[in-house]
Every structure is written in C-alpha cells, then in structure tokens.
Amino acid sequence: MIFSINFALLLLHEMDAIRAKEWRMFIILRDMEDKRAFKVFTILHLPLYTFLLFSFISQQLLSFVILDLFLIFHSIAHFFFEKHPNNNFKNVYSRLIIYPMGLLSLLHLLGLMYF
C-alpha cells in the first residue's frame, strides 16, 4: 500500500511539474522556448513511465528498491534546489507531494529490508 501511495504521489508530482514548468530547472531544457521544452519534457516521461510500469510487472522487488532510492534522492534534490530561481515548487501543495515521497520511500525500503 505504501508503494502504491508513493507511485500515485510521483504521478501527481509530475502533473504539478507541468504547472511549475520544471523544465526551466534542467540545463538543456531551460534554454528552449517553453512550448518546445514542454513537449520534450513531457515526451521524455513516456520511456520513464513505460520502464517503471514494465519493471513493476517483471521485476517487482528490484523496481521497488530502485524507485524508493530514486524518490529519496529526488526529495533531497528538491530540498537543495529550493533557492533555484526557476523553482516553482515553493508552495505547501507541491511540498506536500514531494517530501512525503522521500519519507514514504524510506519507510518502504526499511520495510522491504526487515520484513
């Protein structure tokens, strides 16, 4: 259940990333016109989601561990990029999506290791 909640939070975060124009924080995409950067940013999620969904089916335990580690790192990265001038996640709503992912991932990972 924890993993399912976390995956749903990840999908919510990616939807919020469109609103926040997260591509403006990435080196290659930030110099593109917003219309083009949006298309590149969103289309890059196709292989990401495909890989994630396939791995959940074929290598469930391994994909749990990889996604948990990624979401822990992801939350830490967002914390360190709080002062980035193009960071538009500086609101309670976005933070209530981002930071619980890291915490839930840590709990899920500990649960996988000890139960």
Side-chain angles (χ1 to χ4, degrees), residues 19-81:
R19 177 209 50 83
K21 299 182 179 180
E22 188 176 28
W23 55 83
R24 292 179 177 175
M25 294 175 61
F26 292 100
I27 293 171
I28 295 172
L29 299 177
R30 71 177 174 209
D31 295 329
M32 288 183 191
E33 176 218 342
D34 271 346
K35 189 174 181 178
R36 182 166 187 231
F38 160 77
K39 289 177 182 176
V40 172
F41 181 80
T42 54
I43 201 67
L44 287 174
H45 284 77
L46 178 63
L48 171 66
Y49 290 159
T50 302
F51 171 76
L52 285 174
L53 293 170
F54 178 76
S55 69
F56 296 160
I57 295 165
S58 64
Q59 298 291 324
Q60 189 175 30
L61 181 60
L62 179 61
S63 66
F64 283 177
V65 171
I66 291 171
L67 190 63
D68 284 339
L69 292 172
F70 169 76
L71 291 176
I72 292 167
F73 172 77
H74 176 265
S75 291
I76 292 168
H78 269 279
F79 177 78
F80 282 110
F81 279 90

Short mmCIF file of all heavy atoms in Angstrom, two decimals, residues 19-81:
data_model
loop_
_atom_site.label_atom_id
_atom_site.label_comp_id
_atom_site.label_asym_id
_atom_site.label_seq_id
_atom_site.Cartn_x
_atom_site.Cartn_y
_atom_site.Cartn_z
N ARG A 19 2.73 22.27 -14.34
CA ARG A 19 2.27 23.58 -13.87
C ARG A 19 3.46 24.46 -13.48
O ARG A 19 3.51 25.63 -13.80
CB ARG A 19 1.35 23.41 -12.64
CG ARG A 19 0.89 24.74 -12.05
CD ARG A 19 0.61 24.69 -10.55
NE ARG A 19 1.62 24.11 -9.72
CZ ARG A 19 2.71 24.76 -9.26
NH1 ARG A 19 2.93 26.02 -9.58
NH2 ARG A 19 3.58 24.15 -8.49
N ALA A 20 4.45 23.84 -12.83
CA ALA A 20 5.59 24.58 -12.32
C ALA A 20 6.67 24.83 -13.38
O ALA A 20 7.66 25.50 -13.10
CB ALA A 20 6.20 23.83 -11.14
N LYS A 21 6.46 24.30 -14.57
CA LYS A 21 7.44 24.43 -15.66
C LYS A 21 8.83 23.98 -15.19
O LYS A 21 9.82 24.70 -15.31
CB LYS A 21 7.46 25.86 -16.20
CG LYS A 21 6.11 26.26 -16.78
CD LYS A 21 6.11 27.66 -17.36
CE LYS A 21 4.72 27.93 -17.93
NZ LYS A 21 4.61 29.24 -18.52
N GLU A 22 8.85 22.78 -14.67
CA GLU A 22 10.08 22.24 -14.09
C GLU A 22 11.23 22.17 -15.10
O GLU A 22 12.39 22.22 -14.72
CB GLU A 22 9.82 20.84 -13.50
CG GLU A 22 11.00 20.29 -12.71
CD GLU A 22 10.71 18.97 -12.05
OE1 GLU A 22 9.88 18.20 -12.56
OE2 GLU A 22 11.33 18.71 -11.01
N TRP A 23 10.92 22.09 -16.38
CA TRP A 23 11.96 22.02 -17.40
C TRP A 23 12.89 23.23 -17.32
O TRP A 23 14.03 23.16 -17.74
CB TRP A 23 11.37 21.89 -18.79
CG TRP A 23 10.39 22.96 -19.17
CD1 TRP A 23 10.67 24.21 -19.66
CD2 TRP A 23 8.97 22.90 -19.07
NE1 TRP A 23 9.53 24.91 -19.87
CE2 TRP A 23 8.45 24.14 -19.53
CE3 TRP A 23 8.07 21.92 -18.66
CZ2 TRP A 23 7.09 24.41 -19.57
CZ3 TRP A 23 6.73 22.20 -18.71
CH2 TRP A 23 6.25 23.43 -19.15
N ARG A 24 12.44 24.32 -16.77
CA ARG A 24 13.28 25.52 -16.65
C ARG A 24 14.43 25.32 -15.66
O ARG A 24 15.32 26.16 -15.58
CB ARG A 24 12.44 26.71 -16.22
CG ARG A 24 11.46 27.16 -17.27
CD ARG A 24 10.65 28.32 -16.80
NE ARG A 24 9.74 28.82 -17.82
CZ ARG A 24 8.86 29.77 -17.61
NH1 ARG A 24 8.76 30.34 -16.42
NH2 ARG A 24 8.06 30.16 -18.59
N MET A 25 14.40 24.22 -14.92
CA MET A 25 15.47 23.93 -13.96
C MET A 25 16.52 22.99 -14.54
O MET A 25 17.56 22.77 -13.93
CB MET A 25 14.87 23.34 -12.68
CG MET A 25 14.01 24.31 -11.92
SD MET A 25 13.19 23.61 -10.48
CE MET A 25 14.55 23.08 -9.49
N PHE A 26 16.27 22.43 -15.72
CA PHE A 26 17.20 21.49 -16.33
C PHE A 26 18.10 22.19 -17.35
O PHE A 26 17.62 22.98 -18.18
CB PHE A 26 16.43 20.35 -17.01
CG PHE A 26 15.72 19.46 -16.03
CD1 PHE A 26 14.36 19.62 -15.79
CD2 PHE A 26 16.40 18.48 -15.33
CE1 PHE A 26 13.69 18.81 -14.89
CE2 PHE A 26 15.74 17.67 -14.42
CZ PHE A 26 14.38 17.84 -14.20
N ILE A 27 19.36 21.88 -17.32
CA ILE A 27 20.36 22.57 -18.12
C ILE A 27 20.00 22.64 -19.60
O ILE A 27 20.00 23.72 -20.18
CB ILE A 27 21.75 21.91 -17.94
CG1 ILE A 27 22.24 22.13 -16.51
CG2 ILE A 27 22.75 22.45 -18.94
CD1 ILE A 27 23.47 21.36 -16.14
N ILE A 28 19.69 21.55 -20.23
CA ILE A 28 19.41 21.54 -21.67
C ILE A 28 18.07 22.19 -21.99
O ILE A 28 17.95 22.97 -22.93
CB ILE A 28 19.46 20.10 -22.23
CG1 ILE A 28 20.89 19.56 -22.09
CG2 ILE A 28 19.01 20.06 -23.67
CD1 ILE A 28 21.03 18.10 -22.41
N LEU A 29 17.05 21.90 -21.19
CA LEU A 29 15.70 22.37 -21.50
C LEU A 29 15.48 23.84 -21.15
O LEU A 29 14.64 24.50 -21.77
CB LEU A 29 14.67 21.51 -20.76
CG LEU A 29 14.66 20.03 -21.11
CD1 LEU A 29 13.64 19.29 -20.26
CD2 LEU A 29 14.36 19.83 -22.58
N ARG A 30 16.21 24.37 -20.19
CA ARG A 30 15.94 25.75 -19.74
C ARG A 30 16.19 26.81 -20.81
O ARG A 30 15.61 27.89 -20.75
CB ARG A 30 16.75 26.07 -18.49
CG ARG A 30 18.23 26.22 -18.72
CD ARG A 30 18.94 26.59 -17.46
NE ARG A 30 20.37 26.60 -17.68
CZ ARG A 30 21.25 26.35 -16.76
NH1 ARG A 30 20.86 26.08 -15.53
NH2 ARG A 30 22.53 26.37 -17.04
N ASP A 31 17.00 26.49 -21.80
CA ASP A 31 17.29 27.46 -22.85
C ASP A 31 16.32 27.36 -24.03
O ASP A 31 16.37 28.17 -24.94
CB ASP A 31 18.73 27.29 -23.34
CG ASP A 31 19.75 27.64 -22.26
OD1 ASP A 31 19.44 28.52 -21.43
OD2 ASP A 31 20.82 27.01 -22.24
N MET A 32 15.47 26.35 -24.01
CA MET A 32 14.48 26.19 -25.09
C MET A 32 13.28 27.09 -24.84
O MET A 32 12.99 27.46 -23.71
CB MET A 32 13.97 24.74 -25.14
CG MET A 32 14.92 23.74 -25.64
SD MET A 32 14.07 22.12 -25.70
CE MET A 32 15.46 21.07 -26.00
N GLU A 33 12.59 27.39 -25.91
CA GLU A 33 11.31 28.09 -25.80
C GLU A 33 10.35 27.18 -25.01
O GLU A 33 10.39 25.95 -25.16
CB GLU A 33 10.77 28.36 -27.21
CG GLU A 33 9.41 29.00 -27.21
CD GLU A 33 8.52 28.49 -28.33
OE1 GLU A 33 9.03 27.90 -29.30
OE2 GLU A 33 7.30 28.69 -28.19
N ASP A 34 9.51 27.75 -24.16
CA ASP A 34 8.64 26.96 -23.28
C ASP A 34 7.80 25.94 -24.03
O ASP A 34 7.65 24.80 -23.58
CB ASP A 34 7.71 27.87 -22.47
CG ASP A 34 8.33 28.30 -21.16
OD1 ASP A 34 9.34 27.71 -20.74
OD2 ASP A 34 7.79 29.25 -20.57
N LYS A 35 7.26 26.31 -25.17
CA LYS A 35 6.39 25.39 -25.92
C LYS A 35 7.16 24.13 -26.33
O LYS A 35 6.66 23.02 -26.18
CB LYS A 35 5.83 26.11 -27.15
CG LYS A 35 4.77 25.36 -27.86
CD LYS A 35 4.15 26.20 -28.97
CE LYS A 35 3.05 25.44 -29.68
NZ LYS A 35 2.41 26.24 -30.72
N ARG A 36 8.39 24.31 -26.79
CA ARG A 36 9.21 23.17 -27.21
C ARG A 36 9.71 22.39 -25.99
O ARG A 36 9.70 21.16 -25.98
CB ARG A 36 10.38 23.64 -28.06
CG ARG A 36 11.23 22.49 -28.55
CD ARG A 36 12.18 22.92 -29.64
NE ARG A 36 12.84 21.77 -30.18
CZ ARG A 36 14.14 21.66 -30.32
NH1 ARG A 36 14.92 22.68 -30.00
NH2 ARG A 36 14.67 20.58 -30.82
N ALA A 37 10.15 23.10 -24.97
CA ALA A 37 10.66 22.45 -23.76
C ALA A 37 9.57 21.60 -23.10
O ALA A 37 9.83 20.50 -22.62
CB ALA A 37 11.19 23.49 -22.78
N PHE A 38 8.34 22.12 -23.09
CA PHE A 38 7.20 21.37 -22.55
C PHE A 38 7.04 20.06 -23.29
O PHE A 38 6.86 18.99 -22.68
CB PHE A 38 5.92 22.20 -22.66
CG PHE A 38 4.66 21.40 -22.58
CD1 PHE A 38 4.19 20.93 -21.37
CD2 PHE A 38 3.94 21.08 -23.73
CE1 PHE A 38 3.02 20.17 -21.30
CE2 PHE A 38 2.79 20.33 -23.67
CZ PHE A 38 2.33 19.87 -22.45
N LYS A 39 7.10 20.09 -24.62
CA LYS A 39 6.94 18.88 -25.41
C LYS A 39 8.05 17.88 -25.14
O LYS A 39 7.79 16.68 -24.97
CB LYS A 39 6.88 19.22 -26.91
CG LYS A 39 5.60 19.92 -27.30
CD LYS A 39 5.61 20.30 -28.77
CE LYS A 39 4.34 21.04 -29.14
NZ LYS A 39 4.36 21.51 -30.52
N VAL A 40 9.28 18.36 -25.10
CA VAL A 40 10.42 17.46 -24.83
C VAL A 40 10.30 16.88 -23.42
O VAL A 40 10.46 15.68 -23.21
CB VAL A 40 11.76 18.20 -25.01
CG1 VAL A 40 12.93 17.35 -24.56
CG2 VAL A 40 11.94 18.64 -26.46
N PHE A 41 10.02 17.74 -22.45
CA PHE A 41 9.88 17.33 -21.05
C PHE A 41 8.81 16.25 -20.91
O PHE A 41 9.03 15.22 -20.27
CB PHE A 41 9.55 18.54 -20.19
CG PHE A 41 9.39 18.25 -18.73
CD1 PHE A 41 10.50 18.13 -17.91
CD2 PHE A 41 8.13 18.14 -18.15
CE1 PHE A 41 10.37 17.88 -16.55
CE2 PHE A 41 7.98 17.90 -16.79
CZ PHE A 41 9.11 17.76 -16.00
N THR A 42 7.66 16.47 -21.51
CA THR A 42 6.57 15.51 -21.35
C THR A 42 6.83 14.21 -22.12
O THR A 42 6.55 13.13 -21.61
CB THR A 42 5.21 16.10 -21.76
OG1 THR A 42 5.29 16.61 -23.08
CG2 THR A 42 4.80 17.20 -20.80
N ILE A 43 7.38 14.31 -23.32
CA ILE A 43 7.61 13.09 -24.10
C ILE A 43 8.69 12.22 -23.46
O ILE A 43 8.66 10.99 -23.60
CB ILE A 43 7.92 13.39 -25.60
CG1 ILE A 43 7.64 12.16 -26.47
CG2 ILE A 43 9.36 13.85 -25.78
CD1 ILE A 43 6.21 11.78 -26.57
N LEU A 44 9.62 12.83 -22.74
CA LEU A 44 10.63 12.04 -22.05
C LEU A 44 10.02 11.18 -20.93
O LEU A 44 10.63 10.20 -20.49
CB LEU A 44 11.72 12.95 -21.46
CG LEU A 44 12.69 13.56 -22.47
CD1 LEU A 44 13.62 14.54 -21.80
CD2 LEU A 44 13.47 12.47 -23.20
N HIS A 45 8.83 11.52 -20.52
CA HIS A 45 8.16 10.72 -19.50
C HIS A 45 7.58 9.42 -20.06
O HIS A 45 7.31 8.49 -19.31
CB HIS A 45 7.07 11.55 -18.80
CG HIS A 45 7.65 12.52 -17.83
ND1 HIS A 45 8.25 13.69 -18.23
CD2 HIS A 45 7.75 12.48 -16.49
CE1 HIS A 45 8.68 14.33 -17.16
NE2 HIS A 45 8.39 13.62 -16.09
N LEU A 46 7.42 9.34 -21.37
CA LEU A 46 6.92 8.10 -21.98
C LEU A 46 7.86 6.93 -21.70
O LEU A 46 7.42 5.91 -21.15
CB LEU A 46 6.66 8.27 -23.47
CG LEU A 46 6.19 7.02 -24.19
CD1 LEU A 46 4.84 6.55 -23.66
CD2 LEU A 46 6.12 7.26 -25.68
N PRO A 47 9.16 7.03 -22.03
CA PRO A 47 10.03 5.89 -21.70
C PRO A 47 10.17 5.67 -20.19
O PRO A 47 10.27 4.53 -19.73
CB PRO A 47 11.37 6.24 -22.34
CG PRO A 47 11.31 7.68 -22.67
CD PRO A 47 9.85 8.06 -22.78
N LEU A 48 10.13 6.77 -19.43
CA LEU A 48 10.22 6.64 -17.97
C LEU A 48 9.04 5.83 -17.43
O LEU A 48 9.21 4.86 -16.70
CB LEU A 48 10.25 8.02 -17.32
CG LEU A 48 10.13 8.05 -15.80
CD1 LEU A 48 11.35 7.41 -15.15
CD2 LEU A 48 9.94 9.47 -15.31
N TYR A 49 7.83 6.22 -17.80
CA TYR A 49 6.64 5.51 -17.32
C TYR A 49 6.59 4.09 -17.87
O TYR A 49 6.18 3.16 -17.17
CB TYR A 49 5.36 6.26 -17.71
CG TYR A 49 5.16 7.56 -16.97
CD1 TYR A 49 4.32 8.53 -17.50
CD2 TYR A 49 5.78 7.84 -15.77
CE1 TYR A 49 4.11 9.74 -16.84
CE2 TYR A 49 5.57 9.03 -15.10
CZ TYR A 49 4.73 9.98 -15.63
OH TYR A 49 4.53 11.16 -14.98
N THR A 50 6.98 3.91 -19.11
CA THR A 50 7.00 2.57 -19.71
C THR A 50 7.94 1.67 -18.93
O THR A 50 7.59 0.53 -18.57
CB THR A 50 7.42 2.63 -21.19
OG1 THR A 50 6.52 3.49 -21.90
CG2 THR A 50 7.45 1.25 -21.82
N PHE A 51 9.14 2.16 -18.66
CA PHE A 51 10.12 1.38 -17.91
C PHE A 51 9.59 1.06 -16.51
O PHE A 51 9.69 -0.08 -16.05
CB PHE A 51 11.45 2.14 -17.81
CG PHE A 51 12.42 1.50 -16.87
CD1 PHE A 51 13.12 0.37 -17.24
CD2 PHE A 51 12.62 2.02 -15.59
CE1 PHE A 51 14.00 -0.24 -16.37
CE2 PHE A 51 13.50 1.42 -14.72
CZ PHE A 51 14.19 0.28 -15.10
N LEU A 52 9.04 2.05 -15.84
CA LEU A 52 8.52 1.83 -14.49
C LEU A 52 7.41 0.79 -14.47
O LEU A 52 7.45 -0.16 -13.68
CB LEU A 52 8.01 3.14 -13.88
CG LEU A 52 9.06 4.13 -13.41
CD1 LEU A 52 8.40 5.43 -12.97
CD2 LEU A 52 9.89 3.55 -12.29
N LEU A 53 6.43 0.96 -15.34
CA LEU A 53 5.30 0.03 -15.35
C LEU A 53 5.74 -1.39 -15.73
O LEU A 53 5.28 -2.36 -15.13
CB LEU A 53 4.20 0.54 -16.28
CG LEU A 53 3.52 1.83 -15.80
CD1 LEU A 53 2.62 2.39 -16.88
CD2 LEU A 53 2.76 1.61 -14.51
N PHE A 54 6.63 -1.50 -16.71
CA PHE A 54 7.12 -2.82 -17.09
C PHE A 54 7.90 -3.45 -15.95
O PHE A 54 7.75 -4.63 -15.66
CB PHE A 54 8.00 -2.72 -18.34
CG PHE A 54 8.56 -4.05 -18.75
CD1 PHE A 54 7.76 -4.98 -19.40
CD2 PHE A 54 9.88 -4.37 -18.48
CE1 PHE A 54 8.27 -6.21 -19.76
CE2 PHE A 54 10.40 -5.61 -18.84
CZ PHE A 54 9.60 -6.53 -19.49
N SER A 55 8.73 -2.66 -15.28
CA SER A 55 9.53 -3.22 -14.19
C SER A 55 8.66 -3.65 -13.01
O SER A 55 8.97 -4.61 -12.33
CB SER A 55 10.61 -2.22 -13.73
OG SER A 55 10.02 -1.12 -13.08
N PHE A 56 7.56 -2.94 -12.77
CA PHE A 56 6.67 -3.34 -11.68
C PHE A 56 6.10 -4.73 -11.95
O PHE A 56 5.86 -5.50 -11.03
CB PHE A 56 5.50 -2.36 -11.52
CG PHE A 56 5.91 -0.97 -11.12
CD1 PHE A 56 5.05 0.08 -11.34
CD2 PHE A 56 7.13 -0.69 -10.53
CE1 PHE A 56 5.39 1.38 -10.98
CE2 PHE A 56 7.49 0.59 -10.17
CZ PHE A 56 6.62 1.63 -10.39
N ILE A 57 5.88 -5.04 -13.21
CA ILE A 57 5.31 -6.32 -13.60
C ILE A 57 6.37 -7.42 -13.59
O ILE A 57 6.15 -8.51 -13.09
CB ILE A 57 4.64 -6.23 -14.99
CG1 ILE A 57 3.45 -5.28 -14.93
CG2 ILE A 57 4.23 -7.61 -15.50
CD1 ILE A 57 2.94 -4.84 -16.29
N SER A 58 7.54 -7.12 -14.16
CA SER A 58 8.54 -8.16 -14.38
C SER A 58 9.55 -8.32 -13.24
O SER A 58 9.99 -9.43 -12.98
CB SER A 58 9.28 -7.91 -15.69
OG SER A 58 10.00 -6.69 -15.61
N GLN A 59 9.93 -7.25 -12.61
CA GLN A 59 10.95 -7.30 -11.55
C GLN A 59 10.48 -6.48 -10.36
O GLN A 59 11.09 -5.49 -9.98
CB GLN A 59 12.28 -6.72 -12.08
CG GLN A 59 12.89 -7.48 -13.22
CD GLN A 59 13.40 -8.83 -12.77
OE1 GLN A 59 13.90 -8.99 -11.67
NE2 GLN A 59 13.26 -9.82 -13.62
N GLN A 60 9.40 -6.91 -9.75
CA GLN A 60 8.73 -6.10 -8.75
C GLN A 60 9.65 -5.67 -7.61
O GLN A 60 9.74 -4.48 -7.32
CB GLN A 60 7.52 -6.85 -8.19
CG GLN A 60 6.67 -5.99 -7.31
CD GLN A 60 5.42 -6.71 -6.86
OE1 GLN A 60 5.42 -7.93 -6.72
NE2 GLN A 60 4.38 -5.98 -6.62
N LEU A 61 10.34 -6.58 -6.97
CA LEU A 61 11.16 -6.23 -5.82
C LEU A 61 12.28 -5.27 -6.22
O LEU A 61 12.51 -4.25 -5.56
CB LEU A 61 11.74 -7.47 -5.15
CG LEU A 61 12.60 -7.22 -3.92
CD1 LEU A 61 11.78 -6.51 -2.83
CD2 LEU A 61 13.18 -8.52 -3.38
N LEU A 62 12.96 -5.57 -7.31
CA LEU A 62 14.05 -4.70 -7.77
C LEU A 62 13.51 -3.31 -8.12
O LEU A 62 14.12 -2.30 -7.76
CB LEU A 62 14.75 -5.32 -8.99
CG LEU A 62 15.89 -4.50 -9.58
CD1 LEU A 62 16.99 -4.30 -8.56
CD2 LEU A 62 16.42 -5.18 -10.84
N SER A 63 12.38 -3.24 -8.78
CA SER A 63 11.82 -1.93 -9.14
C SER A 63 11.38 -1.16 -7.91
O SER A 63 11.50 0.06 -7.86
CB SER A 63 10.67 -2.07 -10.14
OG SER A 63 9.57 -2.72 -9.56
N PHE A 64 10.90 -1.86 -6.88
CA PHE A 64 10.55 -1.19 -5.62
C PHE A 64 11.78 -0.52 -5.02
O PHE A 64 11.73 0.65 -4.64
CB PHE A 64 9.98 -2.19 -4.61
CG PHE A 64 8.57 -2.61 -4.86
CD1 PHE A 64 7.99 -3.57 -4.04
CD2 PHE A 64 7.79 -2.09 -5.89
CE1 PHE A 64 6.67 -3.97 -4.23
CE2 PHE A 64 6.48 -2.48 -6.08
CZ PHE A 64 5.93 -3.44 -5.25
N VAL A 65 12.87 -1.26 -4.96
CA VAL A 65 14.10 -0.73 -4.36
C VAL A 65 14.63 0.45 -5.18
O VAL A 65 14.98 1.49 -4.61
CB VAL A 65 15.17 -1.84 -4.24
CG1 VAL A 65 16.52 -1.26 -3.82
CG2 VAL A 65 14.71 -2.91 -3.26
N ILE A 66 14.68 0.30 -6.49
CA ILE A 66 15.19 1.38 -7.35
C ILE A 66 14.32 2.62 -7.23
O ILE A 66 14.85 3.74 -7.07
CB ILE A 66 15.29 0.90 -8.82
CG1 ILE A 66 16.41 -0.13 -8.95
CG2 ILE A 66 15.52 2.08 -9.76
CD1 ILE A 66 16.45 -0.83 -10.29
N LEU A 67 13.01 2.46 -7.28
CA LEU A 67 12.14 3.64 -7.17
C LEU A 67 12.22 4.26 -5.79
O LEU A 67 12.25 5.49 -5.66
CB LEU A 67 10.69 3.29 -7.53
CG LEU A 67 9.79 4.52 -7.68
CD1 LEU A 67 10.24 5.41 -8.83
CD2 LEU A 67 8.35 4.10 -7.89
N ASP A 68 12.28 3.46 -4.75
CA ASP A 68 12.43 4.01 -3.40
C ASP A 68 13.71 4.85 -3.29
O ASP A 68 13.68 5.97 -2.78
CB ASP A 68 12.47 2.89 -2.35
CG ASP A 68 11.10 2.30 -2.05
OD1 ASP A 68 10.08 2.97 -2.34
OD2 ASP A 68 11.06 1.17 -1.52
N LEU A 69 14.82 4.31 -3.77
CA LEU A 69 16.09 5.05 -3.72
C LEU A 69 16.01 6.34 -4.54
O LEU A 69 16.47 7.40 -4.11
CB LEU A 69 17.24 4.18 -4.20
CG LEU A 69 17.60 3.00 -3.29
CD1 LEU A 69 18.63 2.10 -3.97
CD2 LEU A 69 18.11 3.50 -1.94
N PHE A 70 15.41 6.24 -5.72
CA PHE A 70 15.25 7.43 -6.56
C PHE A 70 14.42 8.50 -5.85
O PHE A 70 14.77 9.67 -5.87
CB PHE A 70 14.61 7.07 -7.91
CG PHE A 70 14.20 8.29 -8.68
CD1 PHE A 70 15.15 9.06 -9.34
CD2 PHE A 70 12.88 8.71 -8.71
CE1 PHE A 70 14.78 10.21 -10.03
CE2 PHE A 70 12.50 9.85 -9.41
CZ PHE A 70 13.46 10.61 -10.06
N LEU A 71 13.30 8.11 -5.24
CA LEU A 71 12.42 9.09 -4.61
C LEU A 71 13.05 9.71 -3.37
O LEU A 71 12.80 10.88 -3.06
CB LEU A 71 11.06 8.47 -4.29
CG LEU A 71 10.22 8.13 -5.52
CD1 LEU A 71 8.94 7.43 -5.11
CD2 LEU A 71 9.93 9.36 -6.36
N ILE A 72 13.89 8.97 -2.67
CA ILE A 72 14.64 9.55 -1.56
C ILE A 72 15.60 10.60 -2.10
O ILE A 72 15.65 11.73 -1.61
CB ILE A 72 15.39 8.45 -0.77
CG1 ILE A 72 14.39 7.55 -0.04
CG2 ILE A 72 16.39 9.07 0.20
CD1 ILE A 72 14.98 6.26 0.50
N PHE A 73 16.37 10.24 -3.13
CA PHE A 73 17.29 11.19 -3.76
C PHE A 73 16.54 12.39 -4.33
O PHE A 73 16.97 13.54 -4.20
CB PHE A 73 18.10 10.48 -4.86
CG PHE A 73 18.93 11.43 -5.67
CD1 PHE A 73 20.12 11.94 -5.19
CD2 PHE A 73 18.50 11.83 -6.93
CE1 PHE A 73 20.88 12.82 -5.94
CE2 PHE A 73 19.26 12.71 -7.69
CZ PHE A 73 20.45 13.20 -7.18
N HIS A 74 15.41 12.12 -4.95
CA HIS A 74 14.59 13.16 -5.57
C HIS A 74 14.13 14.20 -4.54
O HIS A 74 14.20 15.41 -4.78
CB HIS A 74 13.38 12.49 -6.25
CG HIS A 74 12.41 13.42 -6.85
ND1 HIS A 74 11.28 13.84 -6.18
CD2 HIS A 74 12.37 14.03 -8.06
CE1 HIS A 74 10.59 14.65 -6.96
NE2 HIS A 74 11.23 14.79 -8.10
N SER A 75 13.68 13.74 -3.39
CA SER A 75 13.25 14.66 -2.33
C SER A 75 14.42 15.50 -1.81
O SER A 75 14.28 16.70 -1.58
CB SER A 75 12.61 13.89 -1.16
OG SER A 75 11.39 13.34 -1.55
N ILE A 76 15.57 14.86 -1.67
CA ILE A 76 16.77 15.58 -1.23
C ILE A 76 17.17 16.62 -2.27
O ILE A 76 17.52 17.76 -1.93
CB ILE A 76 17.92 14.59 -0.94
CG1 ILE A 76 17.57 13.74 0.29
CG2 ILE A 76 19.24 15.32 -0.74
CD1 ILE A 76 18.48 12.54 0.50
N ALA A 77 17.12 16.24 -3.55
CA ALA A 77 17.46 17.18 -4.63
C ALA A 77 16.53 18.39 -4.61
O ALA A 77 16.98 19.53 -4.75
CB ALA A 77 17.41 16.47 -5.98
N HIS A 78 15.24 18.15 -4.43
CA HIS A 78 14.30 19.27 -4.36
C HIS A 78 14.62 20.18 -3.18
O HIS A 78 14.51 21.40 -3.28
CB HIS A 78 12.84 18.78 -4.28
CG HIS A 78 12.21 18.65 -5.62
ND1 HIS A 78 11.67 19.71 -6.31
CD2 HIS A 78 12.04 17.56 -6.41
CE1 HIS A 78 11.19 19.29 -7.46
NE2 HIS A 78 11.40 17.99 -7.55
N PHE A 79 15.03 19.60 -2.07
CA PHE A 79 15.40 20.40 -0.91
C PHE A 79 16.59 21.31 -1.24
O PHE A 79 16.59 22.50 -0.93
CB PHE A 79 15.74 19.49 0.29
CG PHE A 79 16.20 20.25 1.48
CD1 PHE A 79 15.28 20.91 2.30
CD2 PHE A 79 17.54 20.32 1.81
CE1 PHE A 79 15.70 21.63 3.41
CE2 PHE A 79 17.97 21.03 2.92
CZ PHE A 79 17.05 21.69 3.72
N PHE A 80 17.62 20.75 -1.91
CA PHE A 80 18.80 21.54 -2.23
C PHE A 80 18.56 22.57 -3.34
O PHE A 80 19.29 23.54 -3.46
CB PHE A 80 19.99 20.64 -2.58
CG PHE A 80 20.62 20.04 -1.36
CD1 PHE A 80 20.50 18.68 -1.09
CD2 PHE A 80 21.31 20.83 -0.45
CE1 PHE A 80 21.07 18.13 0.05
CE2 PHE A 80 21.89 20.29 0.69
CZ PHE A 80 21.77 18.94 0.93
N PHE A 81 17.52 22.36 -4.15
CA PHE A 81 17.20 23.31 -5.21
C PHE A 81 16.09 24.29 -4.81
O PHE A 81 15.55 25.00 -5.65
CB PHE A 81 16.80 22.56 -6.49
CG PHE A 81 17.98 22.07 -7.28
CD1 PHE A 81 18.51 20.82 -7.04
CD2 PHE A 81 18.57 22.88 -8.24
CE1 PHE A 81 19.60 20.36 -7.75
CE2 PHE A 81 19.67 22.43 -8.96
CZ PHE A 81 20.20 21.17 -8.71
#
